[in-house]
Amino acid sequence: GAVVSQHPSRVICKSGTSVKIECRSLDFQATTMFWYRQFPKKSLMLMATSNEGSKATYEQGVEKDKFLINHASLTLSTLTVTSAHPEDSSFYICSAREGGRGFTYEQYFGPGTRLTVT
Amino acid sequence: AQTVTQSQPEMSVQEAETVTLSCTYDTSESDYYLFWYKQPPSRQMILVIRQEAYKQQNATENRFSVNFQKAAKSFSLKISDSQLGDAAMYFCANEQGGSEKLVFGKGTKLTVNP
């Protein structure tokens, strides 16, 4: 089955620093990757959509300069939270969608990254 | 705008019994997809079942089945023979054909009592 990994699974950083989260599709090529944010006991909120080799498309209300997304290859997308503040503490989840021959509309989700900003 | 509504924040069921989780959605598109995802305490999102809007037949995956009422924009999930491992948050989601974006409902927390 399609597997998506995220690294790190947990990260604690100091306020004002930046942190990078990686999302990898391990056994398929992901033409599109998605980044979600999930607050405790809440639903998933789509932050942005990234396509390999092009700029990410951010949802309304998401600060593109704060949440930098790079989809450098068909198997890797990164989310960098810049100048992190305590209110950025959350659970970040990525998903990847396979493109090309035989693709379905299924998004494969990573296990998530717990970010805590102190 | 797309919206997905799950009106049951919490549900409980006895082991081996059947439970139905409700979901309604609003879309102006004729081509779209509907999903139920399960999120156990590990937080890993797991696809439970998928329904293409153009298909009249309700999707079924083992103990999981849906009741898709397109005119009513309703997409409920039925879990038969509930097991302890079914305990999780369940999210209903809608994707408009071609947009690739998933819109999630607020979720229903399912508890399975032994």
Side-chain angles (χ1 to χ4, degrees), chain B:
Chain B
Q2 284 175 274
T3 58
V4 177
T5 302
Q6 293 179 250
S7 59
Q8 306 154 316
E10 295 188 21
M11 291 283 285
S12 63
V13 63
Q14 290 295 126
E15 195 175 4
E17 296 295 308
T18 296
V19 64
T20 298
L21 308 184
S22 301
C23 173
T24 58
Y25 60 94
D26 188 18
T27 180
S28 57
E29 300 294 321
S30 58
D31 179 24
Y32 55 90
Y33 299 80
L34 296 163
F35 305 85
W36 277 99
Y37 282 91
K38 170 185 178 181
Q39 189 179 43
S42 68
R43 306 292 291 270
Q44 174 71 60
M45 295 289 285
I46 301 167
L47 176 66
V48 175
I49 202 165
R50 174 179 62 235
Q51 175 81 42
E52 290 89 344
Y54 65 87
K55 290 186 176 179
Q56 293 185 340
Q57 187 173 6
N58 289 325
T60 299
E61 288 288 342
N62 301 313
R63 296 183 295 108
F64 299 87
S65 61
V66 299
N67 183 0
F68 174 45
Q69 301 289 328
K70 190 172 183 179
K73 295 183 179 176
S74 170
F75 182 61
S76 61
L77 174 70
K78 185 172 81 171
I79 306 174
S80 304
D81 186 24
S82 297
Q83 300 175 359
L84 295 177
D86 295 334
M89 283 292 290
Y90 286 81
F91 292 99
C92 179
N94 173 219
E95 177 186 326
Q96 292 182 353
S99 80
E100 298 188 315
K101 295 181 183 180
L102 281 175
V103 175
F104 287 89
K106 292 186 176 181
T108 297
K109 181 180 180 181
L110 178 66
T111 300
V112 181
N113 300 309

Side-chain angles (χ1 to χ4, degrees), chain A residues 22-41:
Chain A
E22 292 187 350
C23 176
R24 293 182 184 273
S25 56
L26 298 185
D27 50 3
F28 66 99
Q29 292 188 327
T31 54
T32 307
M33 287 185 168
F34 306 85
W35 288 95
Y36 297 86
R37 184 172 180 176
Q38 186 178 31
F39 290 102
K41 299 184 180 181

